[in-house]
Amino acid sequence: MKKIFWLLAGLAAGLAAGCSDDANEGGGTDGPAPIPEPEPLSQLTADVSFTPQSAKLVREAAFDKEGGEGYLLTLTDAEGAEIRVALRADEGASPFGRYDFSRANDCVPGSNDGSDAATGSWYYASQKAVAPIVGGVLDLSRVPGNKPSDTSYRVQVAFEDDHSPAFGITAVYSGAMTLEGVDATPDATTATTRGASTSTTPISRTC
């Protein structure tokens, strides 16, 4: 009788072990699988020193947020590569000044992915070298001349992509600027630090 009991006990233990192996097939462990770290969207492999040849500032109502007005700044180099930056100034205020891309939170690689990505802040060199701008500072200033037609503009940027550690994108531009929907009357450039946004979502990440 004891032999039959131990035989049945051994058989039950074997079946239980088999079920456990089936549940963890592939060497897994109990519980949900860990969520993989998102990959950076940036395709940069080194820092970029960008040399703009032209600049355009366009009023973009699609980028508006409550209490703020949206703009799209585009810098283009001789080969057609671009830096496109979605900006937001206070309602009724001049769009010229300093824009600080907040560095309050940790960078989340790939977090610019989604429906807003195409209208956000990006560096476009080609389909093989694009990068979301997730941090940095932009200075946009207007330099009045002796008469309105002599007005020139200056843009200086120091951006970061979503790698960790981040690759940098720097550029300085001085010269004429195409304005669309922007007051062209020269005035004193403010030194106000403004919010910066990708489409309608403020950038609040760092790498």
Side-chain angles (χ1 to χ4, degrees), residues 27-96:
T29 58
D30 292 338
I35 299 174
E37 290 292 327
E39 293 292 328
L41 295 178
S42 174
Q43 297 170 346
L44 296 184
T45 57
D47 292 341
V48 172
S49 180
F50 191 77
T51 306
Q53 299 295 311
S54 64
K56 178 190 289 188
L57 181 64
V58 179
R59 171 77 172 88
E60 286 284 0
F63 294 170
D64 287 357
K65 290 192 71 175
E66 184 177 353
E69 297 179 343
Y71 297 85
L72 180 65
L73 174 69
T74 303
L75 303 175
T76 307
D77 73 1
E79 298 179 352
E82 294 181 335
I83 293 176
R84 301 179 196 169
V85 191
L87 304 172
R88 192 179 70 255
D90 293 339
E91 188 172 353
S94 168
F96 297 95

Side-chain angles (χ1 to χ4, degrees), residues 41-45 123-131:
L41 295 178
S42 174
Q43 297 170 346
L44 296 184
T45 57
Y123 163 75
Y124 293 91
S126 70
Q127 290 303 311
K128 294 184 178 180
V130 299

